[in-house]
Amino acid sequence: MRLINMAEDGDSDWVRLNVGGTMYETTRTTLANLKSQFLDRLLAEDSGFSRPADGVYKIDRDPEVFRVLLNFGRHGQLLLNSHVTADMLEADADFYILGQHVRSAIDALSEDSCADSAQKYFEAKKSHAEEEKPPSYTAIYEELVFKFYFISILLKLQQCILNAVVNPGSIAYIGCHLTYIS
């Protein structure tokens, strides 16, 4: 298969892809490292696909997963982030019809308990961050009002007890009562 010359400036190794709305510019060498039958066919001169007028190939897939796969083509290792799971990688490996070396790395990742631990860590960190949102001003105000009211009740109770101790014969001071105001 002969690959299409993509660049107008004479640099034919560069390819422009729009994956799920995210633009990627990469080299044919990086894409070739994935051994993707889909991408090889898409970029082949005799593919039967017409070259996009703007020179950008559009692919309706998850851009975060594609970023991980693209980095595999560059570095030879799967560099995960908090949004990409092994299952997502497996689904896109099927879509792009990736080479066996990529699939083996994804399979190893699926079997690796550290990958599950990393995903759980990212999920726990995300949910923990969501739980620790600062309280609203209304909640703070209500808490302060409650604390102030509680302290005022304790002060009244203290005053009643002191009066009863100072004036042990006076029933009037012992008979003080507290009411809850809502």
Side-chain angles (χ1 to χ4, degrees):
M1 263 185 226
R2 216 174 99 206
L3 298 179
I4 301 171
N5 181 353
M6 293 296 300
E8 274 67 47
D9 63 2
D11 188 4
S12 64
D13 195 43
W14 285 91
V15 178
R16 292 173 49 196
L17 301 164
N18 177 337
V19 180
T22 301
M23 282 295 287
Y24 291 97
E25 290 188 31
T26 188
T27 63
R28 292 178 182 281
T29 304
T30 298
L31 294 176
N33 289 339
L34 296 174
K35 301 199 182 333
S36 165
Q37 292 179 30
F38 173 85
L39 293 171
D40 288 348
R41 186 75 179 151
L42 180 69
L43 300 175
E45 189 173 282
D46 59 350
S47 69
F49 296 110
S50 59
R51 182 173 175 224
D54 61 358
V56 179
Y57 287 91
K58 294 170 183 66
I59 303 172
D60 187 21
R61 298 302 287 180
D62 188 317
E64 292 293 322
V65 176
F66 186 75
R67 179 184 318 274
V68 171
L69 294 174
L70 195 57
N71 281 327
F72 185 88
R74 291 175 178 141
H75 309 293
Q77 45 184 313
L78 292 171
L79 307 171
L80 291 182
N81 63 38
S82 63
H83 304 290
V84 178
T85 65
D87 291 338
M88 294 168 77
L89 286 169
E90 287 176 16
D92 274 24
D94 291 340
F95 176 82
Y96 292 113
I97 314 169
L98 296 178
Q100 188 56 44
H101 70 296
V102 182
R103 289 178 177 276
S104 296
I106 293 170
D107 290 343
L109 182 68
S110 297
E111 295 168 2
D112 187 5
S113 63
C114 291
D116 293 337
S117 298
Q119 186 63 29
K120 288 176 186 172
Y121 167 77
F122 285 123
E123 289 171 0
K125 186 175 180 182
K126 183 178 176 184
S127 67
H128 183 66
E130 290 172 356
E131 289 173 8
E132 288 191 18
K133 290 181 181 173
S136 67
Y137 290 116
T138 304
I140 293 171
Y141 173 77
E142 289 174 354
E143 183 179 352
L144 288 174
V145 167
F146 175 77
K147 287 179 179 178
F148 178 76
Y149 179 72
F150 185 73
I151 290 172
S152 68
I153 290 173
L154 289 176
L155 289 173
K156 286 181 184 177
L157 181 61
Q158 180 185 15
Q159 185 180 11
C160 286
I161 292 171
L162 284 174
N163 284 337
V165 170
V166 172
N167 299 321
S170 172
I171 295 288
Y173 291 113
I174 296 175
C176 69
H177 64 283
L178 302 173
T179 56
Y180 178 75
I181 301 171
S182 58

